[in-house]
Amino acid sequence: EVQLVESGGGLIQPGRSLRLSCAASGFTFGDHAMGWVRQAPGKGLEWVCFIRSKGYGGTTEYAPSVKGRFTISRDDSKSIAYLQMNSLKTEDTAVYYCTRGGGYSDYWGQGTLVTVSS
Amino acid sequence: DIVMTQSPDSLAVSLGERATINCKSSHSVLYNSNRKNYLAWYQQKPGQPPKLVIYWASTRESGVPDRFSGSGSGTDFTLTISSLQAEDVAVYYCQQYYDSPWTFGQGTKVEIK
């Protein structure tokens, strides 16, 4: 059974940094692109970023709203994807979902809440 | 960026009746070389993460009931629930993955009339 479990969310002040983790199981992690999608409270879905598998170069794509501030990475030996979030803004407040897939997302984690507030 | 616009924002349908959700993209998401539309649909029930329903505009995800179907090409797409069941109450989103940044529609809330 495919499982994606996010961790690392919490309350953080504007301008600070936070790192989210996504622990994957139930599939060959290294064969798949991984991504992050967020959802602000009461709002719709916003794609954040994804990272391709090493077989496709391990390259990354970012939404304009986070480019230059967020960095996605992966550790295939541990089956974990990371989202390093720097220079956080209040508008980054959202539930962050880890997803499998570089185009459509066929599996989603339960999400971790990030609240950026002073 | 490709803008995805869904209509309506919400709809109420009687049990057993048809529900139709539209999604329009500001740019074609049809890739000519493989003739595939890079368009997916997701269902999100309250308090849950989204769930993939349809990809490549019309391919039903494994385990999704066959009352769900996707159609359309280029810039205009439709998600149809042929006979609405109580468990289909949710918000539905379309998403394009033709060009980065991937973008979602604003969502359509489906309720029981």
Side-chain angles (χ1 to χ4, degrees), chain A residues 89-112:
Chain A
K89 305 176 182 180
T90 55
E91 53 263 42
D92 294 319
T93 294
V95 173
Y96 285 73
Y97 294 104
C98 174
T99 67
R100 189 180 83 165
Y104 60 85
S105 299
D106 58 357
Y107 287 94
W108 298 61
Q110 289 296 313
T112 187

Side-chain angles (χ1 to χ4, degrees), chain A residues 30-31 52-58 76:
Chain A
D31 288 348
R52 296 176 178 86
S53 65
K54 294 286 197 298
Y56 283 88
D76 290 354

